[in-house]
Amino acid sequence: QVQLVESGGGLVQAGGSLRLSCVASGRTFSNYAMGWFRQAPGKEREFVAAISWGGRNTAYSPSVKGRLTISRDNAANTVYLQMNSLKPEDTAVYYCAGPSSPYSVVLQAPSTYEYWGQGTQVTVSS
């Protein structure tokens, strides 16, 4: 059974930084692309960043490009989201996600992901 567990959220002032982690279990982590999404109150879940199974390819939402960085450590079964220069509009619950099929490049549509973590709250104060 695939499980994804996020951590690292919290309260930070605008301009600050956080690093989110997502530990995966239940399958060979290195064979699968991973993604980060977020959902703010009253809004739909939106794509934030994705990384290919080998880690060579990444993709970002235009709203976070240059401030957030996705990376992975396959030996630790972990995907990270380094968040710098945070803004109040980054406030949301952040979810990591994994697809059902291996060897994908970068996936941006939520419908392409089958497995989701429970989410971690990020709050950025102005």
Side-chain angles (χ1 to χ4, degrees):
Q1 183 178 359
V2 177
Q3 288 190 322
L4 304 174
V5 180
E6 303 99 333
S7 62
L11 173 63
V12 63
Q13 288 187 334
S17 298
L18 284 173
R19 187 175 81 156
L20 307 184
S21 301
C22 171
V23 179
S25 61
R27 64 182 183 181
T28 305
F29 175 76
S30 59
N31 290 349
Y32 295 86
M34 294 294 293
W36 285 97
F37 292 79
R38 66 187 181 187
Q39 188 166 18
K43 295 188 177 181
E44 293 187 354
R45 190 169 297 188
E46 65 172 354
F47 169 75
V48 175
I51 189 166
S52 60
W53 66 279
R56 292 184 178 182
N57 301 97
T58 58
Y60 297 92
S61 164
S63 63
V64 307
K65 196 170 185 178
R67 301 188 297 116
L68 275 59
T69 303
I70 189 171
S71 63
R72 65 190 298 157
D73 181 347
N74 287 338
N77 292 348
T78 303
V79 60
Y80 302 98
L81 187 66
Q82 178 66 44
M83 310 170 70
N84 298 329
S85 303
L86 283 164
K87 304 176 181 180
E89 50 264 43
D90 294 318
T91 295
V93 177
Y94 283 71
Y95 300 90
C96 71
S100 57
S101 299
Y103 309 120
S104 301
V105 187
V106 288
L107 305 172
Q108 299 190 32
S111 60
T112 57
Y113 290 88
E114 180 168 349
Y115 303 101
W116 295 83
Q118 82 288 351
T120 185
Q121 176 71 47
V122 172
T123 303
V124 185
S125 63
S126 57

